[in-house]
């Protein structure tokens, strides 16, 4: 076997100018990741190259979608203990240190995503050149997985661009475009695709002085300034993520504060710190959530359904925002309602969204041009997808379907955004009942990634597959659910919200109720959430669910709605709002009933168990993914069913029984708990 055939991932070519081009094309994989074998092979390549008679080295990717997506996250789940994790990191440090020490110019040539370990590898090169294209994204997203950079990034990025910007990037995990990276100093050049190779050659031929942070940027990392900056960073992280739930950002700040003066020590500590984090439950659960998301993304891959034009009927908040989102994602959209004054607010909101997301006036205008008001409904005949988002009235919806079905293109998808009416009740007016599917978006559409794909008894499975593919096409996460009251997300959320309302009517301060939920890890407490969704909307969903699931709706909710206190939108609900923010009183923690947290969380978990038993979704993972992405359920707990398993189903069921004894039958454990023992 020749030397060359033992390389599967890294391909080397030395051109006539004696420039070495090392190209990563990870074998049998759609994206480049730095798995253990990819790193080992890189090491062999670098060992040979470090002494080679070449003028420079350019590292690039052969994958069209990007440079490198980071370390192989799948391998993180297999790490057995801290010692093994630490050794993995140290091994990688040795390889990147070797690269950094090359005597001739080294260049990372970046297109598409360059994330995590991918960017850390690029940082070990002397120069970075990125393609100036919207698809180019550079970042260190590790904190989102419960860890921090572990391949030397925590040392090299602050050294390159100064600690303030570097720490902010690492602590938020946000990624930046090629141009922003250029402005920050992360890349040396941002050039169009056609100039990439020439730019790399030019840098090797005439190496410029490598980028250095300004004096001011360096000062922020000096021994005197470090504790101050660290305290500031800690305070800003604490606003988003408490340390007991999310230890990684705090570990990163500690690492930098203690060791930034000594790069060698900092590298060793970086490995130790990441090894600790990656084996902890927060990281393991956040990694689980990453893969739940991947599973949901993959659901859309089975269909070759192509969408160019979407027609939305109903320009209310949901219909208007769905239309705007589709136009933002590049589709032609027609938006139908009865009169121009009904369409105007939707177009105004769409303009705001485009301005915020696209920024450049040219792109904003192009998106506005894709979104066409259509009072006569001419788009119906051209659309690949028709989304009905009119008010919740079964007769009106049936009448509409009767009118539009004959005008639709053969094979076009007919979807309803109903949040409460079973598909079986709606499809009767169609000549092909199997073509109706639910696409249940959440409010605000641009923020909530999840879309429930609702299938009724008669829905054609091919139509479900098309709807799922459409959701992916517009970059939403599809969750197939059975048509039943509240589907999955609202059904599981409602007992938790109603328990909060009941607690409030028993005299517990809303601030205490919300704090208990936030302490558990929810992004927002249930009282504030109810106010945000709108108490009238909560009431109507609660009534539908109470009717079909034998529940009761707290009188307090009805009274507030009758008094016109509808929540944030009316300035008053449970809280009073000032400039859209709730005014919260200071309350004493010890005034909370001892079982407050249990009453909220176990109400939610019990309903999750019931949904699993009833087969509302296909399996536990989809339930967990749906609830994390549909409600924000404490991601570091890995989803409700995963949480039940890790806490022990028997233990939680016993606590439910105690609640049923103390507070009533609504807490009676569902029959499904047995299956989780
Ligand atoms: N480790 C392991 N697998 C990875 C991966 C990683 N870092 N990044 C992507 N993949 C896999 C996905 O699981 C998926 O596998 P599948 O085809 O078996 O389902 C495949 O690569 C394609 O990824 P997908 O997410 O479907 O592609 P995308 O184009 O929508 O997004 C990324 C690409 C890179 C933006 C996205 O996958 C991502 O954010 N990855 C994680 C990046 C990260 O956190 N890196 C730091 C690691 S420490």
């Amino acid at each position: 076997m020749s030397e060359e055939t033992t390389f599967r991932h890294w391909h080397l070519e030395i051109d006539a100018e004696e420039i070495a081009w090392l190209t990563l094309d990870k074998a049998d994989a759609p994206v480049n990741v730095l798995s253990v074998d990819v790193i080992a092979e890189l090491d062999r390549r670098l060992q040979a190259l470090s002494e080679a008679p070449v003028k420079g080295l350019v590292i690039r990717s052969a994958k069209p979608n990007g440079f490198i997506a980071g370390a192989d996250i799948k391998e993180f789940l297999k790490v057995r203990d801290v010692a093994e994790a630490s050794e993995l990191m140290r091994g990688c440090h040795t390889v990147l240190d070797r690269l950094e020490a090359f005597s001739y110019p080294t260049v990372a040539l970046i297109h598409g995503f360059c994330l995590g370990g991918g960017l850390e590898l690029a940082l070990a090169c002397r120069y970075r050149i990125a393609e100036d294209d919207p698809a180019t994204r550079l970042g260190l997203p590790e904190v989102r997985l419960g860890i921090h950079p572990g391949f030397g990034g925590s040392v090299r990025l602050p050294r390159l661009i100064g600690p303030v910007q570097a720490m902010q990037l690492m602590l938020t995990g946000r990624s930046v475009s090629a141009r922003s990276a250029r402005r920050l100093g992360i890349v040396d050049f941002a050039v169009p695709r056609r100039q990439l190779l020439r730019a790399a050659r030019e840098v090797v031929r005439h190496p410029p002085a490598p980028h250095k942070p300004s004096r001011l940027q360096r000062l922020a990392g000096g021994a005197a300034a470090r504790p101050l900056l660290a305290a500031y960073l800690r305070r800003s992280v604490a606003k988003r993520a408490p340390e007991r739930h999310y230890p990684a950002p705090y570990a990163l700040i500690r690492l930098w504060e203690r060791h930034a003066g000594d790069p060698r020590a900092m590298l060793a500590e970086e490995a130790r710190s990441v090894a600790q984090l990656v084996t902890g439950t927060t990281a393991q659960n956040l990694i689980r959530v990453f893969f739940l998301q991947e599973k949901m993304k993959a659901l859309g891959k089975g269909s070759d359904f192509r969408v160019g034009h979407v027609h939305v009927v109903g320009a209310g908040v949901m219909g208007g925002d769905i239309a705007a989102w589709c136009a933002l994602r590049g589709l032609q959209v027609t938006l139908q309602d009865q009169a121009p004054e009904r369409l105007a607010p939707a177009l105004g909101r769409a303009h705001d969204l485009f301005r915020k997301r696209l920024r450049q006036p040219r792109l904003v205008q192009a998106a506005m041009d894709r979104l066409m008001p259509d009072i006569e409904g001419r788009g119906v005949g051209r659309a690949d997808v028709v989304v009905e988002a009119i008010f919740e009235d079964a007769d009106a919806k049936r009448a509409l379907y009767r009118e539009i079905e004959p005008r639709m293109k053969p094979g076009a998808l007919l979807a309803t955004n109903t949040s409460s009416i079973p598909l079986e009740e709606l499809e009767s007016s169609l000549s092909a009942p199997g073509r109706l599917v639910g696409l249940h978006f959440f409010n605000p559409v641009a923020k909530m990634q999840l879309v429930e794909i609702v299938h009724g008894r008669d829905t054609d499975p091919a139509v479900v597959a098309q709807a799922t593919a459409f959701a992916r096409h517009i970059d939403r996460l599809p969750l197939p659910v059975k048509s039943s009251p509240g589907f999955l997300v609202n059904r599981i959320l409602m007992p938790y919200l109603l328990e909060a309302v009941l607690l409030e009517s028993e005299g517990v301060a809303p601030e205490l109720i919300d704090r208990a939920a936030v302490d558990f890890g929810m992004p927002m407490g249930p009282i504030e959430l109810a106010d945000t969704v709108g108490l009238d909307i909560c009431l109507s969903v609660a009534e539908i669910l109470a009717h079909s699931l034998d529940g009761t709706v707290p009188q307090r909710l009805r009274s507030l709605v009758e008094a016109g206190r509808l929540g944030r939108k009316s300035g008053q609900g449970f809280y009073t709002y000032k400039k859209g923010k709730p005014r919260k009183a200071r309350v004493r923690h010890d005034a909370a009933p001892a079982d407050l947290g249990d009453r909220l969380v176990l109400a939610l978990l019990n309903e999750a168990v019931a949904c699993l038993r009833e087969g509302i979704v296909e399996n536990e993972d989809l339930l967990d993914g749906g609830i994390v992405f549909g409600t924000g359920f404490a991601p570091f707990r890995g989803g409700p069913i995963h949480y039940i398993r890790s806490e022990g189903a028997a233990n939680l069921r016993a606590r439910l029984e105690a609640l049923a004894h103390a507070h009533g039958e609504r807490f009676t454990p569902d029959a499904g708990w047995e299956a989780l023992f």
Side-chain angles (χ1 to χ4, degrees), residues 308-356:
H309 182 149
V310 176
H311 182 79
V312 180
V313 190
V317 171
M318 289 312 286
D321 289 1
I322 293 168
W325 181 257
C326 291
L328 179 75
R329 300 296 308 168
L331 296 172
Q332 291 295 327
V333 181
T334 35
L335 177 59
Q336 181 182 353
D337 212 317
Q338 287 158 353
E341 59 273 19
R342 292 200 187 216
L343 289 163
L347 296 177
R349 282 199 312 281
H351 193 246
D352 291 345
L353 174 73
F354 301 155
R355 264 210 326 243
K356 204 163 133 201

Side-chain angles (χ1 to χ4, degrees), residues 91 97 117 139 154 209 220 252 368-369 378 421 427 456 465 467 481 555 677:
D97 284 353
S154 69
L252 176 62
M368 283 311 281
D369 291 346
R378 294 211 178 112
I421 309 174
E427 67 194 20
V481 297
Q555 185 51 40
F677 281 2

Side-chain angles (χ1 to χ4, degrees), residues 29-34 65 68-76 113-118 120 137 139-145 147-151 290-291 293-295 297-298 301 472 475:
V31 303
N32 281 335
V33 292
L34 297 177
N65 53 8
I68 299 173
D72 186 348
I73 303 174
K74 287 192 186 93
E75 289 177 352
F76 290 171
F113 44 77
C114 172
L115 301 171
E120 294 178 280
R137 302 298 301 174
L140 294 170
E142 287 87 344
V143 283
R144 298 186 178 185
L145 297 172
I147 56 176
H148 59 66
F151 293 174
F290 172 78
F291 284 113
Q293 184 179 16
E294 291 296 313
K295 260 192 190 158
K297 280 186 182 175
K301 284 186 181 154
R472 281 308 299 140
D475 197 28

